Amino acid sequence: MQEIRPMATPRLENYARQSVFDALAALFIHPETSGVIERFQDAVKIAGALAAELGMDPAPMDRLLEKPMPDPHAVQAEYKRLFLDDAPNRIPLTESEWNLKAQLGIQAPRAACCIAYDEAEIAITDELGVPVDHLGMIFGFLTVLFLKENAAAAERFFDDHPAKWLAQLAAEIRRRPDAQFFVDAAEVLDTVLEIEATLREDQTL
């Protein structure tokens, strides 16, 4: 007999998702900023709680919470080593680059992201110094959509954009022997993918 789990309200679920996307946006844009690591750890707690609420195994998130707080300088150095343009064997963080890797013949991701931002009446500036299809910008946009209580638009955007390459990004991070903290971030990315997939399944029941 299938276990019947208590359901959080959609508003609480969406608040949890918004909090996780917000923390990940900050982590993947400016990990050196004060408070970003603490926000990430809060996101791990929230992701674990939401996973448990959805009937998923929260153990991966619980294990991350048992680890000591990382040194922010070490996190920033690792970020530069893994993701920045001048790093050897750089791991891309833009959808455009992942599409090139996969040889996908679809609409240019940057143009598609700009259209989505315009339709949501969200002005994008160059202040952050990252492309519009950068993972941090994408997660930031999802955060705004949830804050505007437009979960349907957030889900469409997630499915059309990061859902198509987050698993590959997480796998690429795990393959790097010099990745330590961001291996944990990869675990959260996989949990986010599973959470979103489970929520879609619930919607069809």
Side-chain angles (χ1 to χ4, degrees), residues 14-194:
N14 291 341
Y15 177 75
R17 295 155 84 188
Q18 172 253 308
S19 298
V20 172
F21 285 127
D22 187 39
L24 290 173
L27 179 67
F28 279 100
I29 292 179
H30 287 306
E32 77 283 1
T33 303
S34 176
V36 165
I37 304 303
E38 290 81 1
R39 287 167 64 190
F40 173 75
Q41 291 195 316
D42 287 341
V44 172
K45 292 179 185 177
I46 294 168
L50 183 54
E53 170 65 29
L54 295 173
M56 296 162 46
D57 182 8
M61 298 298 96
D62 292 340
R63 286 193 291 270
L64 296 188
L65 293 173
E66 294 172 358
K67 294 187 175 184
M69 177 84 73
D71 175 61
H73 298 292
V75 171
Q76 173 63 2
E78 183 178 327
Y79 181 87
K80 290 181 177 180
R81 210 165 51 239
L82 297 178
F83 306 118
L84 292 193
D85 288 342
D86 57 352
N89 303 317
R90 177 179 64 89
I91 300 173
L93 288 178
T94 65
E95 185 172 342
S96 300
E97 291 171 289
W98 282 102
N99 278 7
L100 286 174
K101 277 177 170 281
Q103 298 181 336
L104 296 178
I106 61 175
Q107 183 182 19
R110 292 183 184 176
C113 285
C114 285
I115 291 171
Y117 301 159
D118 287 342
E119 288 177 347
E121 299 182 344
I122 295 173
I124 302 298
T125 68
D126 295 330
E127 291 180 6
L128 294 176
V130 295
V132 294
D133 63 336
H134 186 280
L135 182 61
M137 294 290 282
I138 285 173
F139 281 163
F141 179 57
L142 289 166
T143 301
V144 171
L145 290 177
F146 279 115
L147 283 171
K148 295 175 72 171
E149 298 187 356
N150 195 347
E155 290 171 358
R156 286 194 301 271
F157 187 81
F158 183 89
D159 293 344
D160 289 344
H161 294 280
K164 295 180 177 178
W165 52 277
L166 279 186
Q168 292 92 327
L169 170 61
E172 190 78 11
I173 292 171
R174 289 195 185 92
R175 280 193 286 268
R176 288 287 293 267
D178 55 340
Q180 297 179 352
F181 170 79
F182 280 94
V183 171
D184 296 346
E187 189 75 54
V188 177
L189 294 180
D190 281 340
T191 298
V192 166
L193 279 168
E194 188 177 356

